[in-house]
């Protein structure tokens, strides 16, 4: 599959979506994130043009990368095998428990919050002319990771997981319940 091929994700089976997510999102995110962390770990100390917020960017990016790595591991080792096996053996039956989905959703929520904070401390990824070319590439790579994460999040939350959750499953987190009911 070509990385820029147009894919109608709604036409794919859940098992095929698992493969697409791994190839189109997991792997490119891992590669690009490694490049970002390489700049922070190897070149950051020698770059006097980097902004003062670069250390905070590194902390946020590393925390986000840790969450992403855990989510990818959870999907590839626990969730995707269940989805693929259900496709092979159960033909059309919904295969994912709502509790498993809740853990995935919480992980995505953490990642999206960290992305929002990273966007704030990078000044929305706006480049400054006095920064080094290496830092500009690093910032561009952070933006690429954000774009891939948002696409992965959309496809997983709006196409894949709704297709494999049992019908009529409503997943509501405790913090989404409004405490407006009164006994008065």
């Amino acid at each position: 599959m070509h990385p820029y091929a147009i894919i109608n994700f709604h036409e794919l089976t859940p098992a095929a979506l698992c493969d697409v997510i791994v190839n189109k999102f997991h792997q490119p995110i891992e590669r690009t994130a490694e490049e970002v962390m390489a700049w922070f770990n190897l070149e950051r100390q020698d770059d006097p043009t980097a902004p003062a917020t670069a250390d905070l960017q590194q902390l946020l990016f590393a925390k986000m990368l840790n969450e992403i790595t855990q989510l990818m591991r959870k999907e590839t080792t626990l969730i995707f095998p269940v989805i693929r096996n259900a496709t092979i053996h159960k033909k059309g039956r919904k295969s994912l428990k709502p509790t498993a989905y809740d853990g995935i959703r919480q992980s995505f929520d953490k990642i999206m919050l960290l992305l929002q904070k990273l966007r704030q401390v990078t000044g929305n990824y706006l480049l400054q002319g006095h920064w080094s070319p290496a830092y500009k590439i690093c910032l561009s790579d952070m933006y690429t990771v954000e774009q891939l994460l948002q696409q992965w999040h959309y496809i997983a939350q709006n196409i894949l997981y709704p297709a494999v959750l049992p019908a009529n499953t409503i997943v509501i987190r405790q913090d989404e319940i409004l405490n407006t009911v009164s006994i008065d």
Side-chain angles (χ1 to χ4, degrees), residues 9-20 83 87 159-160 163-164:
F9 295 102
H10 295 280
E11 293 177 352
L12 300 176
T13 65
L17 276 172
C18 293
D19 295 335
V20 167
I83 293 170
T87 301
I159 301 171
L160 175 62
V164 297

Side-chain angles (χ1 to χ4, degrees), residues 117-129:
K117 290 178 186 234
L118 187 61
R119 181 173 270 280
Q120 288 172 348
V121 299
T122 60
N124 289 321
Y125 306 107
L126 293 177
L127 301 178
Q128 302 296 318

Side-chain angles (χ1 to χ4, degrees), residues 119-184:
R119 181 173 270 280
Q120 288 172 348
V121 299
T122 60
N124 289 321
Y125 306 107
L126 293 177
L127 301 178
Q128 302 296 318
H130 65 277
W131 290 340
S132 70
Y135 178 67
K136 289 177 182 178
I137 291 170
C138 177
L139 204 61
S140 175
D141 286 346
M142 282 192 272
Y143 180 72
T144 299
V145 168
E146 177 180 313
Q147 296 302 299
L148 289 167
L149 279 167
Q150 288 179 353
Q151 291 170 8
W152 169 27
H153 181 252
Y154 176 82
I155 291 163
Q157 299 300 307
N158 294 296
I159 301 171
L160 175 62
Y161 292 116
V164 297
L165 286 169
N168 302 319
T169 299
I170 299 173
V171 180
I172 300 175
R173 297 183 320 230
Q174 185 65 34
D175 62 334
E176 292 176 331
I177 299 172
L178 296 175
N179 292 323
T180 59
V181 179
S182 172
I183 57 172
D184 293 346

Side-chain angles (χ1 to χ4, degrees), residues 10-117:
H10 295 280
E11 293 177 352
L12 300 176
T13 65
L17 276 172
C18 293
D19 295 335
V20 167
I21 287 172
V22 168
N23 294 319
K24 189 167 175 55
F25 301 110
H26 288 188
Q27 292 171 355
I29 288 170
E30 286 176 324
R31 281 191 305 271
T32 309
E34 285 176 11
E35 292 174 17
V36 170
M37 289 309 296
W39 182 85
F40 281 123
N41 293 329
L42 301 174
E43 298 179 42
R44 163 67 182 106
Q45 305 309 319
D46 298 329
D47 189 346
T49 67
T53 59
D55 291 332
L56 182 55
Q57 293 169 15
Q58 180 179 6
L59 290 172
L60 287 170
F61 194 85
K63 174 71 174 151
M64 183 182 70
L65 184 55
N66 184 44
E67 293 291 334
I68 291 167
T69 302
Q70 289 178 20
L71 177 57
M72 287 179 184
R73 190 173 302 128
K74 189 183 302 183
E75 280 189 336
T76 56
T77 61
L78 301 173
I79 304 297
F80 290 174
V82 169
I83 293 170
R84 288 181 184 113
N85 286 338
T87 301
I88 293 168
H89 299 293
K90 298 179 185 175
K91 300 266 191 254
R93 290 188 56 202
K94 304 296 182 168
S95 57
L96 194 63
K97 304 268 187 244
T99 53
Y101 169 74
D102 192 43
I104 296 291
R105 183 174 170 187
Q106 288 173 5
S107 295
F108 270 120
D109 288 347
K110 286 179 191 176
I111 292 166
M112 291 300 136
L113 180 62
L114 288 165
L115 262 181
Q116 181 181 23
K117 290 178 186 234

